[in-house]
Amino acid sequence: MAAAKKAVLGPLVGAVDQGTSSTRFLVFNSKTAELLSHHQVEIKQEFPREGWVEQDPKEILHSVYECVEKTCEKLGQLNIDISNIKAIGVSNQRETTVVWDKLTGEPLYNAVAAPVSPGPSVPVAVVPSGSSVPAARTSSVWLDLRTQSTVESLSKKIPGNNNFVKSKTGLPISTYFSAVKLRWILDNVRKVQKAVEENRALFGTIDSWLIWSLTGGVNGGVHCTDVTNASRTMLFNIHSLEWDKELCEFFGIPMEILPNVRSSSEIYGLMCLGDQSAALVGQMCFQDGQAKNTYGTGCFLLCNTGRKCVFSEHGLLTTVAYKLGRDKPVFYALEGSVAIAGAVTRWLKDNLGIIKTSEEIEKLAKEVGTSYGCYFVPAFSGLYAPYWDPSARGIICGLTQFTNKCHIAFAALEAVCFQTREILDAMNRDCGIPLSHLQVDGGMTCNKILMQLQADILYIPVVKPSMPETTALGAAMAAGAAEGVGVWSLEPEDLSAVTMERFEPQINAEESEIRYSTWKKAVMKSMGWVTTQSPESGKNKSITICPKFLTF
């Protein structure tokens, strides 16, 4: 009987959530925000040289098809008619960069194409999402460090009294963003150079690649992105909401390869919303001053600053939060980005082998309940906000003969929380009004030890929704609310109430400050470890052992 009742559910909205380590497809009831079914596929990362991180866009596309197909099969088993899916939103990793051939649909950089069968035919209104596109075998992933020398060369060209890049984009010149990755590809990949010369090349972030492929590819695929993803390229003027000619000339990027920029909620046949902006919508942070922190591969804290474009004086990024309709106003946000959060768990599993599954880290940390003075700074890709130091590298310090894998596991979780504290402090200084609590989401929030540590280290309550898939929910909401779809209302009175779990601080403020100040000492030790030549030379550095701390 239950299945028969579910069969009449609708309208439904799907969401593709394409992240650094996995792809998921989720289907929600637009009236209740209930998650009905989903499927997940892990994505490989490749590390061909030190500091280089690559992925296979063909594998990413195939994973999307597989997730859609498997989810629809599960809906069928629940007797839910997939024709009730009225829109599909897309949320994805940002900044990851690829270039592909618009005539063949093939990658132009280390491509290995594989035949892909499309999933079930369903009506789609795709909401853009994301960061770095192409159909190449290898894309330049956001964590990649190969462009550091390019960054330094470009930085020298900016007048000290006129940082027009930051004033137009809200971003510092960094290996993090797409423009320098694209510049590196143009400088080093002859296939891409030739395709640009022959007007065959298309550039995009993952949202653009997925949208172009899913809307027809070589047979009329839509080459577009949304304002949130465009704002992460360093080529987009966040004031005029257009690709900026001066920026494109500065980075040497031909404007004809760039995707068309749309709002974050409209029908193209396909469209998208950057993953962290999607989480901001999914957490329903529609008011000025509301903030959320997403714990994924990295950690991303966004604070809605309304229609006001606020520039940080404390190392944060100014970015586009969302634009929920072609004729709707744009909203901005301050963002703090941490490179390594969930990725530290994967490192402990894959590189050190001290855990077999990601879930085991909570068990190890619980066994000891303390790091016993051990501090872990996981600066594997340098330090992002608020330091922006690409020369930093990871360290574990405060080691004694008593230190064991449980203490290191605990220190790894603490590191995620300390990094969030640094960003929250910077955000409070920029905004002038300290946050009274922090809304959180993402896969790591299932770890109760982590959530309690976060409340203790911030010394404010941490609030977690019972349904943690807020990034996918935000993409679904934006898709369902698009003009021409209209199955999801974003009016405050129509939004479903969300059950929350609350974590209160359980230590005193003095202890919290002592632990945080010790962490800051460890951060200082991590800085200045490498020269700019090492990531691009491909040479392996040996482990350096210094008194009281170990560097990787």
Side-chain angles (χ1 to χ4, degrees), residues 68-78 82 120:
V68 171
E69 185 171 359
K70 295 296 185 183
T71 301
C72 288
E73 287 178 3
K74 292 177 183 178
L75 290 173
Q77 293 166 6
L78 295 171
I82 63 173

Short mmCIF file of all heavy atoms in Angstrom, two decimals, residues 68-78 82 120:
data_model
loop_
_atom_site.label_atom_id
_atom_site.label_comp_id
_atom_site.label_asym_id
_atom_site.label_seq_id
_atom_site.Cartn_x
_atom_site.Cartn_y
_atom_site.Cartn_z
N VAL A 68 21.96 8.58 -12.79
CA VAL A 68 20.59 8.86 -13.22
C VAL A 68 19.86 7.55 -13.50
O VAL A 68 18.72 7.33 -13.05
CB VAL A 68 20.58 9.76 -14.48
CG1 VAL A 68 19.16 9.86 -15.05
CG2 VAL A 68 21.10 11.16 -14.13
N GLU A 69 20.53 6.65 -14.22
CA GLU A 69 19.89 5.39 -14.58
C GLU A 69 19.56 4.56 -13.34
O GLU A 69 18.44 4.05 -13.20
CB GLU A 69 20.81 4.60 -15.52
CG GLU A 69 20.18 3.32 -16.03
CD GLU A 69 21.01 2.66 -17.12
OE1 GLU A 69 22.07 3.20 -17.48
OE2 GLU A 69 20.59 1.59 -17.60
N LYS A 70 20.52 4.43 -12.41
CA LYS A 70 20.30 3.61 -11.23
C LYS A 70 19.24 4.22 -10.31
O LYS A 70 18.43 3.50 -9.71
CB LYS A 70 21.61 3.45 -10.46
CG LYS A 70 22.69 2.67 -11.23
CD LYS A 70 22.28 1.23 -11.49
CE LYS A 70 23.41 0.46 -12.15
NZ LYS A 70 23.00 -0.93 -12.49
N THR A 71 19.24 5.55 -10.19
CA THR A 71 18.23 6.19 -9.34
C THR A 71 16.84 5.99 -9.91
O THR A 71 15.88 5.72 -9.18
CB THR A 71 18.52 7.70 -9.20
OG1 THR A 71 19.82 7.88 -8.63
CG2 THR A 71 17.50 8.38 -8.30
N CYS A 72 16.72 6.10 -11.23
CA CYS A 72 15.42 5.89 -11.86
C CYS A 72 14.95 4.45 -11.71
O CYS A 72 13.75 4.18 -11.54
CB CYS A 72 15.47 6.30 -13.34
SG CYS A 72 15.58 8.08 -13.58
N GLU A 73 15.90 3.50 -11.73
CA GLU A 73 15.54 2.10 -11.48
C GLU A 73 14.99 1.94 -10.07
O GLU A 73 13.99 1.23 -9.85
CB GLU A 73 16.76 1.20 -11.68
CG GLU A 73 17.17 1.01 -13.13
CD GLU A 73 18.42 0.15 -13.25
OE1 GLU A 73 18.92 -0.34 -12.21
OE2 GLU A 73 18.91 -0.03 -14.39
N LYS A 74 15.62 2.60 -9.11
CA LYS A 74 15.16 2.52 -7.72
C LYS A 74 13.78 3.15 -7.55
O LYS A 74 12.94 2.64 -6.80
CB LYS A 74 16.18 3.21 -6.79
CG LYS A 74 17.52 2.50 -6.69
CD LYS A 74 18.50 3.28 -5.83
CE LYS A 74 19.87 2.61 -5.78
NZ LYS A 74 20.85 3.39 -4.98
N LEU A 75 13.54 4.26 -8.25
CA LEU A 75 12.22 4.88 -8.20
C LEU A 75 11.17 3.94 -8.77
O LEU A 75 10.05 3.85 -8.25
CB LEU A 75 12.22 6.20 -8.97
CG LEU A 75 13.01 7.36 -8.35
CD1 LEU A 75 13.06 8.54 -9.31
CD2 LEU A 75 12.39 7.80 -7.03
N GLY A 76 11.53 3.23 -9.84
CA GLY A 76 10.60 2.27 -10.43
C GLY A 76 10.26 1.16 -9.47
O GLY A 76 9.10 0.72 -9.38
N GLN A 77 11.26 0.71 -8.69
CA GLN A 77 11.02 -0.33 -7.68
C GLN A 77 10.09 0.16 -6.58
O GLN A 77 9.42 -0.64 -5.92
CB GLN A 77 12.35 -0.80 -7.10
CG GLN A 77 13.23 -1.54 -8.10
CD GLN A 77 14.66 -1.71 -7.63
OE1 GLN A 77 14.99 -1.37 -6.50
NE2 GLN A 77 15.52 -2.25 -8.50
N LEU A 78 10.07 1.49 -6.36
CA LEU A 78 9.16 2.08 -5.37
C LEU A 78 7.81 2.44 -5.99
O LEU A 78 6.98 3.08 -5.34
CB LEU A 78 9.81 3.34 -4.77
CG LEU A 78 11.09 3.11 -3.95
CD1 LEU A 78 11.74 4.44 -3.61
CD2 LEU A 78 10.78 2.33 -2.68
N ILE A 82 8.78 8.00 -13.09
CA ILE A 82 9.87 8.96 -13.32
C ILE A 82 9.44 10.10 -14.23
O ILE A 82 10.14 11.12 -14.33
CB ILE A 82 11.12 8.26 -13.90
CG1 ILE A 82 10.82 7.64 -15.26
CG2 ILE A 82 11.67 7.23 -12.93
CD1 ILE A 82 12.06 7.07 -15.95
N PRO A 120 17.63 7.06 -18.69
CA PRO A 120 16.24 7.15 -19.12
C PRO A 120 15.89 8.55 -19.58
O PRO A 120 16.45 9.53 -19.08
CB PRO A 120 15.47 6.80 -17.84
CG PRO A 120 16.47 6.24 -16.90
CD PRO A 120 17.80 6.71 -17.31
#
